[in-house]
Amino acid sequence: MSDLLSIGASGVRAYQTALSTVGENIANTGVAGYVRRTTELREVAVTGGSARSVEGNGVIVGGVVRQGDVYRSQAVRQSSADLGRTETSATWLGEIESAMTGNKLGDRITDFFTAGRSLAADPTSVPSRAVLLEKAQGAATAFRQTGQALARATEELNASAERSVSTLNSLGTALAQVNDGLGRAQPGSSQAAQLADQRDQLLDQMSAITDVSTQFDALGRVQVKLGDTSGPVFVAGTEAGRVSFNRNEDGAVSFAVQRSGEPDVLTPGGGALAGVVEGAARLVAATKRLDEIATSFVTQVNAVQQNGADLDGVKGEKLFEPGDPPTAMTLATTDPRKLAAAALGSPAGSRDASNLAALETARNSGGWEAGITAVVTDNAAALEQKKLVADAQGAIRDNAVAARDSASGVDLDVEAVELMRFQQAYQASSRVIQAARDIFQTIIEIR
């Protein structure tokens, strides 16, 4: 009789746990990061001297099992890292495009030379000289503002990298705490399943910042390397390292991980950090090219100006004051009469415009407008390519998420079937207990 009661009681306890698991699944439908659980049920094992198998001794809960798929989860993290790299790189290409086109530098340079051509038609016209001086000021301002825009983009990139590194360090600390919790939690418990959900969410967030490689132990604790399988260890057990961001005098970006002892170099192959590396390189190249154009422009225009005679027949003085950086140029004169339109040796008030012809020659040989256009065009082509790649990688990531969720997500239809099944099993176990009680009462009454 006691066996019948214990069988029924074991069923009630086991199916109550199973019902709780189903209820938890239903309650968390659509919750990001939640992985469906199932209850593992086992037959009660018989202990004793007999080695033969005896069936019909009840049921016990073997544990709560997460329906996660390690390989599909890894595919999501890898695709997230790829997408994060491309999107971040595209962001900084967009910043470069805005900086190079926002102040219409190419147009301002063209306006300057167009005004020079107009002055050549009447070199003694003070109003025309004033227009040329105004356009020179416009070109200098456009150079300066474009250089400042690139400098701001560089500062924003540095700040963005620092924020990403700070977030990554916070995630590493949180993951180490989750590892500690997994080491303390009872394997197969709801607590262990919940901690595993948190672990996977942290890994997903990390993969958007940099590519990660993982290794799990029997308790579900994870060791994380950054970069690739040969990269530095970031999280091991309950210990998390610290990622640092550095930038040298040449503008090159580097990252390092320090967990114990000397820092190890981190070479991100994916995620926002890899996009920062690409963006920094693009910004350095654009800034360097713009500085070269500015230096050449100031040097050659000043050389032409100083090789001619102004309206008073005096040797011309430099038109632009070089800056540091080169784009920080300023106008060296505000007097229209000092513009050297004529050749050296021309008398005051000369209508000679040969030095303006030399200015046009310098324009053609300098190729400053073409240089600006080339920077903008090359950057625009790279940006468009990144956008196309991002679209493809976004689709890959969406497919990876869908594949993962198909294996680990909650399906209400499935849960409804499970709910009915375990309800019926629970009711059947209750009836076994009731039947045992009735039989026991009958026996007592017989006696």
Side-chain angles (χ1 to χ4, degrees), residues 154-183:
T154 299
E155 291 174 359
E156 290 170 4
L157 181 141
N158 292 342
S160 175
E162 292 285 3
R163 288 193 298 270
S164 294
V165 164
S166 177
T167 300
L168 187 58
N169 287 332
S170 297
L171 293 172
T173 300
L175 186 57
Q177 293 172 347
V178 169
N179 276 347
D180 182 53
L182 285 167

Short mmCIF file of all heavy atoms in Angstrom, two decimals, residues 154-183:
data_model
loop_
_atom_site.label_atom_id
_atom_site.label_comp_id
_atom_site.label_asym_id
_atom_site.label_seq_id
_atom_site.Cartn_x
_atom_site.Cartn_y
_atom_site.Cartn_z
N THR A 154 37.31 62.51 -35.41
CA THR A 154 38.34 61.71 -34.75
C THR A 154 38.12 61.66 -33.25
O THR A 154 38.24 60.60 -32.61
CB THR A 154 39.74 62.30 -35.06
OG1 THR A 154 39.95 62.26 -36.47
CG2 THR A 154 40.83 61.50 -34.37
N GLU A 155 37.76 62.80 -32.68
CA GLU A 155 37.49 62.83 -31.24
C GLU A 155 36.27 61.98 -30.89
O GLU A 155 36.25 61.28 -29.88
CB GLU A 155 37.25 64.28 -30.80
CG GLU A 155 38.51 65.16 -30.85
CD GLU A 155 38.20 66.61 -30.55
OE1 GLU A 155 37.01 66.93 -30.32
OE2 GLU A 155 39.15 67.43 -30.54
N GLU A 156 35.25 62.05 -31.74
CA GLU A 156 34.06 61.23 -31.52
C GLU A 156 34.38 59.74 -31.64
O GLU A 156 33.84 58.92 -30.89
CB GLU A 156 32.97 61.61 -32.52
CG GLU A 156 32.38 62.99 -32.28
CD GLU A 156 31.49 63.46 -33.42
OE1 GLU A 156 31.28 62.66 -34.36
OE2 GLU A 156 31.02 64.60 -33.38
N LEU A 157 35.25 59.40 -32.59
CA LEU A 157 35.66 58.00 -32.72
C LEU A 157 36.38 57.54 -31.46
O LEU A 157 36.13 56.43 -30.95
CB LEU A 157 36.56 57.82 -33.94
CG LEU A 157 37.04 56.39 -34.22
CD1 LEU A 157 37.04 56.10 -35.71
CD2 LEU A 157 38.43 56.16 -33.66
N ASN A 158 37.27 58.38 -30.94
CA ASN A 158 37.98 58.02 -29.71
C ASN A 158 37.00 57.81 -28.56
O ASN A 158 37.12 56.85 -27.79
CB ASN A 158 38.98 59.11 -29.34
CG ASN A 158 40.13 59.20 -30.32
OD1 ASN A 158 40.39 58.27 -31.08
ND2 ASN A 158 40.84 60.32 -30.32
N ALA A 159 36.04 58.73 -28.45
CA ALA A 159 35.05 58.61 -27.38
C ALA A 159 34.20 57.36 -27.55
O ALA A 159 33.89 56.66 -26.57
CB ALA A 159 34.16 59.85 -27.35
N SER A 160 33.83 57.06 -28.80
CA SER A 160 33.04 55.86 -29.07
C SER A 160 33.82 54.60 -28.71
O SER A 160 33.27 53.66 -28.13
CB SER A 160 32.65 55.83 -30.55
OG SER A 160 31.98 54.63 -30.87
N ALA A 161 35.11 54.59 -29.05
CA ALA A 161 35.94 53.44 -28.72
C ALA A 161 36.05 53.27 -27.20
O ALA A 161 35.97 52.15 -26.68
CB ALA A 161 37.33 53.60 -29.33
N GLU A 162 36.20 54.37 -26.50
CA GLU A 162 36.29 54.31 -25.03
C GLU A 162 34.99 53.77 -24.44
O GLU A 162 35.02 52.97 -23.49
CB GLU A 162 36.60 55.70 -24.46
CG GLU A 162 37.99 56.23 -24.79
CD GLU A 162 39.09 55.55 -23.97
OE1 GLU A 162 38.77 54.63 -23.19
OE2 GLU A 162 40.26 55.92 -24.15
N ARG A 163 33.86 54.21 -24.99
CA ARG A 163 32.58 53.72 -24.48
C ARG A 163 32.42 52.23 -24.74
O ARG A 163 31.95 51.47 -23.88
CB ARG A 163 31.42 54.49 -25.13
CG ARG A 163 31.27 55.91 -24.64
CD ARG A 163 29.93 56.51 -25.08
NE ARG A 163 29.81 56.57 -26.53
CZ ARG A 163 30.19 57.60 -27.26
NH1 ARG A 163 30.73 58.66 -26.68
NH2 ARG A 163 30.03 57.59 -28.57
N SER A 164 32.82 51.80 -25.94
CA SER A 164 32.72 50.37 -26.27
C SER A 164 33.60 49.54 -25.35
O SER A 164 33.18 48.47 -24.87
CB SER A 164 33.12 50.15 -27.73
OG SER A 164 32.21 50.76 -28.61
N VAL A 165 34.79 50.03 -25.08
CA VAL A 165 35.71 49.31 -24.20
C VAL A 165 35.15 49.26 -22.79
O VAL A 165 35.20 48.23 -22.11
CB VAL A 165 37.10 50.00 -24.22
CG1 VAL A 165 37.94 49.54 -23.04
CG2 VAL A 165 37.81 49.69 -25.52
N SER A 166 34.59 50.38 -22.33
CA SER A 166 33.99 50.42 -20.99
C SER A 166 32.84 49.43 -20.88
O SER A 166 32.71 48.70 -19.88
CB SER A 166 33.52 51.84 -20.67
OG SER A 166 32.88 51.89 -19.42
N THR A 167 32.00 49.40 -21.92
CA THR A 167 30.88 48.45 -21.92
C THR A 167 31.38 47.02 -21.92
O THR A 167 30.85 46.15 -21.20
CB THR A 167 29.99 48.69 -23.15
OG1 THR A 167 29.49 50.03 -23.12
CG2 THR A 167 28.83 47.72 -23.19
N LEU A 168 32.40 46.75 -22.72
CA LEU A 168 32.96 45.40 -22.79
C LEU A 168 33.51 44.97 -21.43
O LEU A 168 33.32 43.82 -21.00
CB LEU A 168 34.07 45.36 -23.84
CG LEU A 168 34.67 43.99 -24.17
CD1 LEU A 168 33.60 43.01 -24.64
CD2 LEU A 168 35.76 44.13 -25.22
N ASN A 169 34.18 45.87 -20.74
CA ASN A 169 34.71 45.56 -19.41
C ASN A 169 33.59 45.27 -18.42
O ASN A 169 33.70 44.36 -17.59
CB ASN A 169 35.59 46.70 -18.91
CG ASN A 169 36.92 46.78 -19.64
OD1 ASN A 169 37.43 45.77 -20.11
ND2 ASN A 169 37.48 47.96 -19.75
N SER A 170 32.51 46.05 -18.52
CA SER A 170 31.37 45.80 -17.63
C SER A 170 30.74 44.44 -17.92
O SER A 170 30.36 43.71 -16.99
CB SER A 170 30.32 46.91 -17.81
OG SER A 170 30.83 48.16 -17.43
N LEU A 171 30.62 44.10 -19.19
CA LEU A 171 30.07 42.79 -19.56
C LEU A 171 30.97 41.66 -19.06
O LEU A 171 30.48 40.62 -18.60
CB LEU A 171 29.92 42.70 -21.08
CG LEU A 171 28.89 43.62 -21.72
CD1 LEU A 171 28.98 43.55 -23.24
CD2 LEU A 171 27.48 43.25 -21.27
N GLY A 172 32.30 41.86 -19.14
CA GLY A 172 33.23 40.85 -18.64
C GLY A 172 33.07 40.63 -17.15
O GLY A 172 33.07 39.48 -16.67
N THR A 173 32.93 41.71 -16.40
CA THR A 173 32.73 41.61 -14.95
C THR A 173 31.43 40.87 -14.64
O THR A 173 31.38 40.00 -13.76
CB THR A 173 32.71 43.00 -14.32
OG1 THR A 173 33.96 43.66 -14.57
CG2 THR A 173 32.48 42.92 -12.82
N ALA A 174 30.36 41.22 -15.37
CA ALA A 174 29.08 40.56 -15.15
C ALA A 174 29.15 39.08 -15.50
O ALA A 174 28.58 38.23 -14.80
CB ALA A 174 28.00 41.25 -15.98
N LEU A 175 29.88 38.74 -16.56
CA LEU A 175 29.99 37.34 -16.97
C LEU A 175 30.76 36.53 -15.93
O LEU A 175 30.43 35.37 -15.65
CB LEU A 175 30.67 37.25 -18.34
CG LEU A 175 30.73 35.85 -18.96
CD1 LEU A 175 29.34 35.26 -19.10
CD2 LEU A 175 31.42 35.91 -20.32
N ALA A 176 31.78 37.13 -15.36
CA ALA A 176 32.53 36.44 -14.30
C ALA A 176 31.62 36.15 -13.10
O ALA A 176 31.72 35.09 -12.46
CB ALA A 176 33.73 37.29 -13.87
N GLN A 177 30.72 37.09 -12.79
CA GLN A 177 29.78 36.87 -11.69
C GLN A 177 28.79 35.76 -12.03
O GLN A 177 28.42 34.96 -11.16
CB GLN A 177 29.04 38.18 -11.39
CG GLN A 177 29.94 39.26 -10.82
CD GLN A 177 29.24 40.60 -10.70
OE1 GLN A 177 28.15 40.80 -11.25
NE2 GLN A 177 29.85 41.54 -9.99
N VAL A 178 28.37 35.71 -13.29
CA VAL A 178 27.47 34.63 -13.72
C VAL A 178 28.19 33.28 -13.62
O VAL A 178 27.60 32.28 -13.18
CB VAL A 178 26.96 34.87 -15.15
CG1 VAL A 178 26.26 33.63 -15.69
CG2 VAL A 178 26.02 36.06 -15.18
N ASN A 179 29.45 33.25 -14.02
CA ASN A 179 30.23 32.02 -13.87
C ASN A 179 30.27 31.57 -12.42
O ASN A 179 30.16 30.37 -12.12
CB ASN A 179 31.65 32.24 -14.38
CG ASN A 179 31.79 32.07 -15.88
OD1 ASN A 179 30.88 31.55 -16.54
ND2 ASN A 179 32.90 32.51 -16.43
N ASP A 180 30.45 32.53 -11.54
CA ASP A 180 30.46 32.21 -10.11
C ASP A 180 29.12 31.64 -9.68
O ASP A 180 29.06 30.64 -8.93
CB ASP A 180 30.79 33.48 -9.31
CG ASP A 180 30.87 33.20 -7.81
OD1 ASP A 180 31.63 32.30 -7.41
OD2 ASP A 180 30.18 33.89 -7.04
N GLY A 181 28.03 32.23 -10.17
CA GLY A 181 26.71 31.72 -9.83
C GLY A 181 26.47 30.33 -10.38
O GLY A 181 25.87 29.47 -9.70
N LEU A 182 26.93 30.06 -11.59
CA LEU A 182 26.77 28.72 -12.17
C LEU A 182 27.55 27.68 -11.38
O LEU A 182 27.13 26.51 -11.28
CB LEU A 182 27.24 28.73 -13.63
CG LEU A 182 26.29 29.40 -14.63
CD1 LEU A 182 26.98 29.63 -15.97
CD2 LEU A 182 25.02 28.56 -14.82
N GLY A 183 28.68 28.09 -10.83
CA GLY A 183 29.46 27.16 -10.02
C GLY A 183 28.78 26.82 -8.71
O GLY A 183 29.02 25.75 -8.14
#
